[in-house]
Amino acid sequence: MVIHSPSSVDAFTAPERDIIRRELGQHFGSFPSVAEGMFLRIWRGGPLAGKPKLPPAIQTMMARGLVEIQTDRGMPRAFFTQAGLAALRQLAKDRRLLDPVRYAHIRHELGLQTEQAAAAE
């Protein structure tokens, strides 16, 4: 009988991994920070006007307690909870799921990679 511990694949679904890669990847020459949260758009009209638009992947992470939505800093953002940060660390350790070169800034921020190791890769 093989017992496997939860892996990064188990922590995030494929759509969740996709939104993480998209939101934490390089944008217009700058590298986003995990500490700054993931930007969310807002509804401009209708009954939800002014409320954050929550993509399905953010909704599922929120339901499992991996992210929380904060609107007190201007534009709404999804911030990783402690459980979410632990799952993100596991995801970042898997080179197949989060490219260590492209996301070196995230690995460094999470304490998984020193600047010297990043330069060597």
Side-chain angles (χ1 to χ4, degrees), residues 19 22 39-41 53-60:
I19 200 167
R22 218 180 10 212
F39 174 77
L40 298 171
R41 290 166 176 67
K53 286 184 180 181
L54 300 176
I58 295 291
Q59 290 177 19
T60 57

Side-chain angles (χ1 to χ4, degrees), residues 41-58:
R41 290 166 176 67
I42 58 171
W43 290 99
R44 296 290 179 196
L48 298 176
K51 302 241 191 275
K53 286 184 180 181
L54 300 176
I58 295 291

Side-chain angles (χ1 to χ4, degrees), residues 9-26:
V9 176
D10 297 335
F12 294 109
T13 64
E16 292 169 349
R17 290 190 304 268
D18 182 52
I19 200 167
I20 289 168
R21 284 189 290 261
R22 218 180 10 212
E23 294 298 322
L24 297 180
Q26 185 176 8

Side-chain angles (χ1 to χ4, degrees), residues 91-104:
L91 179 72
K93 287 179 183 178
D94 191 332
R95 296 176 170 279
R96 297 168 299 143
L97 299 176
L98 204 62
D99 184 319
V101 175
R102 186 172 178 197
Y103 297 96

Side-chain angles (χ1 to χ4, degrees), residues 2-11 90:
V2 175
I3 299 174
H4 85 299
S5 62
S7 69
S8 56
V9 176
D10 297 335
Q90 286 302 112

